[in-house]
Amino acid sequence: MSKFARHTITTALPYANGPVHIGHLAGVYVPADIYVRYLRMKGEQVLFIGGSDEHGVPITIKAKNENTTPQAIVDRYHEMIKKSFAEFGISFDIYSRTSSPIHHEAASEFFTKLYEDGKLIEKTSMQYYDAEAHQFLADRYITGGCPHCNNEKAYGDQCEACGTSLSATDLINPRSALTGNVPVLRETKHWYLPLDQYEGWLKEWILEGHREDWKINVYGQCKSWIEQGLHPRAVTRDLDWGVKVPLQEAEGKVLYVWFDAPIGYISATKEWAEQTGKTWEEWWKADDTELLHFIGKDNIVFHCIIFPAMLKAEGSYILPENVPANEFLNLEGDKISTSRNWAVWLHEYLEEFKDKQDVLRYTLTSIAPETKDSDFTWADFQAKNNNELLAIFGNLVNRTVVLTHKYYGGVIPVAHAFSAEEQEMIEQIKTFPAKIGEALEKFRFREAQMELMNLARIGNKYLTDTEPWKKVKEDPERVETILHLSLQIAAALSVLSEPFLPFTSKRLKEMLNVTENRWEHGADMNLLSDGDKIGEPQYLFDKIEDKVIEEQEAKLQHVKAQALLEQTPAQEAKEDITYDDFQKMDLRICTVMEAEKIPKTKKLLKMKIDTGVDIREVVSGIAEYYAPEDMPGKQVLMLINLQPKEIKGVSSHGMVLMVENTNGELVVVEPGKTVKAGSSVS
């Protein structure tokens, strides 16, 4: 690390058409923030860059669906995302956005440089055009039949039913999502980055140059892409939302979002420089600057192949030293999906789990999908808090601080002679900054955090084994030594936990009056001075009860049920009947008076029902879903002129009408408001 004078750290720009979820956090933002905080504590110069990706077709589609403008959409979500990151402790130096004037200017300049240097090629192609809407159609604005699975609502770039990547021309019976018309193919001209011309250089730079230092999942994906052969990629498209192509002949065209988004890192740096009065070039053009991209696996190709090719073509920029991309985080055994709302959203977590940012940071780091997909469960979240943060880290600190106040009025006692075992433990503790730091510099965040917790385990076990509360009367000097040493371990934890648990670290430092914040101080077993006074004890963590977790699990189950409901196709309509046929049916809202389960049956309830014209008994197969005591007073939709039928010895006169939900459960059909029993349905 010493060979670099400064470090430019970027994080994937979250797409500003929705909030941030835990998959984003685990894959990108938590590891990036841990790494940046560690560098700062090492005394390194760091610029930590984030921002919102605000162009592209999904945003225009969302704006159209909500009858608003793309700018209104990105304004809403940019502020939500920015606020959530700040509250969660992601310590960006700048959080910018790609709809800003400074970004449009930077992206236009970058394109112009490549254009004027002859690094782009022009190509004409046939693309779908909506004659009524007077515009070319982006792939997401074209729907049709999937040629692979016959899904009739596939998009022009992908079928979400079978997951197959498509071209718009692959679709069967394509339609414009704007007007519903059949689109026509029309010729259009665009500018392309000739990636094939950089194939040889990329093989040398990545496959030979980064074989040893890039993560295996990153290197493997790059190798596969390069060996399949690279092709020119369009950098412009026909759209009215985005950075306008700075050419007179390019009216109605914008820069493709994949091209302008990574330039957002550069424009954000320029914005930061304007705000701080500093220069920006050294962060992107100096050979002694390290450039790192923290991303998820869906962005590997863009940051390892395409963006480096853009920088190489421009000619004056440094290239990334590393791209420590992570794989995907699943949720309760299922892939996180924003369209299905199957996610834990950061802004909701911050509202529902006040002051528990570090619990989520710790859990996500412990299961970080560093080389393969991993899974978040609420049960594991609870266990990580209760069994590790609370029972080990928090327990050590709380017992130590409470005993110090109880025996010495909060004054740090003097250490006397250390035993051989204590000397050995002290030497072991001094190795932790180096061990944790080495893991962080190799982007092994799970390992690094585990080592931090191992230090807490050492301290917790030491306090438990020495039992100062039993020795305080018979051997007071020994207790002074034990608590002195335990306090020093807690102080070391207050320093070394800062990258992982910044909110906890701050509170612990305040409690112990620790003022040092350099990484090497984590090995200093004299951070606290004899005779100094510490603050009052405070709980760093509290127990998360089962009820809290059950509520979150129930919330997800509701989401899953809603998604199934939306995906379940309605049954085909039955044959038409005449109005006279319908008139024969006497449908009424009736009121249940009594209900009891029919003995020796699993499904049957016997109910006494007020039909408005009489009181009658009806048998219904709903006992698995409704308890007898829940039925009295409930109003139900009932066919009252059905011929009586004997069921289990009961003459059932009528039929209570039900619907079946996606879980196969029967649900009573009730009126929206209470009505008089016997009210007709017509």
Side-chain angles (χ1 to χ4, degrees), residues 47 178 199 210 273 383 501 509 556 588 596 604-605 641 679:
L47 182 62
L178 295 177
E199 191 172 307
H210 289 292
L501 310 169
K509 284 173 186 166
L556 285 176
R588 303 199 185 199
E596 62 180 274
L604 301 181
L605 277 187
N641 63 332
S679 298

Side-chain angles (χ1 to χ4, degrees), residues 77 192 214 220 274 306 336 338 354 358 380 391 537 572 663:
Y77 288 111
Y192 289 70
W214 282 16
E274 286 186 3
I306 299 174
I336 290 176
T338 56
K354 293 289 186 185
D358 283 350
D380 184 52
E572 291 187 10
N663 293 328

Side-chain angles (χ1 to χ4, degrees), residues 339-545:
S339 62
R340 292 187 291 122
N341 195 28
W342 186 254
V344 175
W345 304 105
L346 177 56
H347 69 290
E348 292 182 357
Y349 176 89
L350 291 168
E351 291 173 3
E352 295 168 6
F353 290 86
K354 293 289 186 185
D355 301 321
K356 284 186 171 55
Q357 296 95 326
D358 283 350
V359 180
L360 185 56
R361 287 176 68 110
Y362 180 84
T363 302
L364 295 178
T365 302
S366 70
I367 59 171
E370 293 178 347
T371 56
K372 63 180 180 180
D373 292 356
S374 58
D375 191 43
F376 175 94
T377 69
W378 280 111
D380 184 52
F381 169 84
Q382 180 187 29
K384 290 286 191 297
N385 179 83
N386 293 355
N387 302 339
E388 297 178 25
L389 291 175
L390 176 61
I392 300 170
F393 194 120
N395 192 38
L396 163 66
V397 172
N398 186 63
R399 290 193 296 172
T400 301
V401 174
V402 166
L403 291 175
T404 302
H405 275 274
K406 182 177 180 180
Y407 300 151
Y408 312 113
V411 175
I412 298 168
V414 175
H416 301 281
F418 293 129
S419 67
E421 290 80 4
E422 287 170 333
Q423 289 285 9
E424 184 179 340
M425 183 180 72
I426 290 169
E427 293 306 311
Q428 183 184 4
I429 289 169
K430 290 180 179 180
T431 67
F432 275 90
K435 283 197 291 189
I436 297 171
E438 181 182 2
L440 291 176
E441 290 174 28
K442 293 179 179 177
F443 309 110
R444 297 202 293 253
F445 299 96
R446 295 171 73 154
E447 177 185 326
Q449 183 174 266
M450 183 177 66
E451 290 293 355
L452 173 73
M453 192 53 66
N454 284 341
L455 175 56
R457 286 187 174 93
I458 288 171
N460 200 46
K461 184 177 185 301
Y462 171 68
L463 197 61
T464 299
D465 290 347
T466 54
E467 298 181 313
W469 48 88
K470 291 184 179 180
K471 298 182 175 69
V472 67
K473 291 182 178 180
E474 63 191 50
D475 195 350
E477 284 192 357
R478 180 69 184 133
V479 171
E480 289 177 356
T481 301
I482 292 169
L483 289 180
H484 176 96
L485 195 47
S486 297
L487 285 165
Q488 298 294 355
I489 296 172
L493 282 170
S494 77
V495 174
L496 299 179
S497 65
E498 202 275 342
F500 308 92
L501 310 169
F503 296 90
T504 303
S505 170
K506 183 175 184 291
R507 288 162 58 202
L508 182 52
K509 284 173 186 166
E510 291 172 351
M511 199 188 310
L512 300 177
N513 292 322
V514 173
T515 57
E516 303 292 355
N517 198 43
R518 292 285 294 235
W519 186 254
E520 60 266 28
H521 289 133
D524 186 353
M525 293 304 289
N526 293 294
L527 273 174
L528 304 177
S529 300
D530 298 344
D532 284 354
K533 191 162 186 178
I534 63 173
E536 293 295 324
Q538 299 177 22
Y539 288 113
L540 296 177
F541 307 98
D542 51 47
K543 186 178 180 181
I544 295 177
E545 301 293 345

Side-chain angles (χ1 to χ4, degrees), residues 341-345 348-349 352 378 549-561:
N341 195 28
W342 186 254
V344 175
W345 304 105
E348 292 182 357
Y349 176 89
E352 295 168 6
W378 280 111
I549 299 304
E550 288 165 1
E551 289 173 353
Q552 293 299 324
E553 291 172 337
K555 185 177 173 182
L556 285 176
Q557 289 307 312
H558 176 71
V559 167
K560 184 169 284 188

Side-chain angles (χ1 to χ4, degrees), residues 233-282:
R233 192 177 183 95
V235 303
T236 62
R237 74 184 314 177
D238 296 291
L239 200 65
D240 60 359
W241 174 247
V243 178
K244 307 300 181 187
V245 178
L247 298 173
Q248 286 187 350
E249 57 188 302
E251 183 71 27
K253 300 181 191 295
V254 298
L255 298 182
Y256 224 129
V257 67
W258 69 259
F259 182 84
D260 94 81
I263 298 171
Y265 304 140
I266 300 170
S267 62
T269 308
K270 291 183 175 182
E271 182 180 346
W272 168 83
E274 286 186 3
Q275 292 173 356
T276 59
K278 298 179 181 179
T279 59
W280 71 271
E281 287 86 354
E282 63 182 355

Side-chain angles (χ1 to χ4, degrees), residues 104-151:
H104 279 238
E105 181 182 349
S108 295
E109 288 176 354
F110 199 103
F111 174 89
T112 301
K113 176 72 162 53
L114 297 190
Y115 176 79
E116 292 178 348
D117 288 351
K119 299 297 177 67
L120 302 176
I121 59 175
E122 296 179 14
K123 290 176 63 176
T124 58
S125 62
M126 303 298 290
Q127 294 185 15
Y128 277 124
Y129 183 85
D130 188 321
E132 181 181 338
H134 304 292
Q135 71 176 71
F136 283 95
L137 297 172
D139 293 338
R140 281 270 152 171
Y141 275 123
I142 307 167
T143 61
C146 173
H148 301 280
C149 72
N150 298 320
N151 169 33

Side-chain angles (χ1 to χ4, degrees), residues 586 588 590 609-616 640 677-678:
D586 194 348
R588 303 199 185 199
C590 305
I609 295 180
D610 180 359
T611 68
V613 295
D614 58 17
I615 307 296
R616 63 177 67 173
I640 71 168

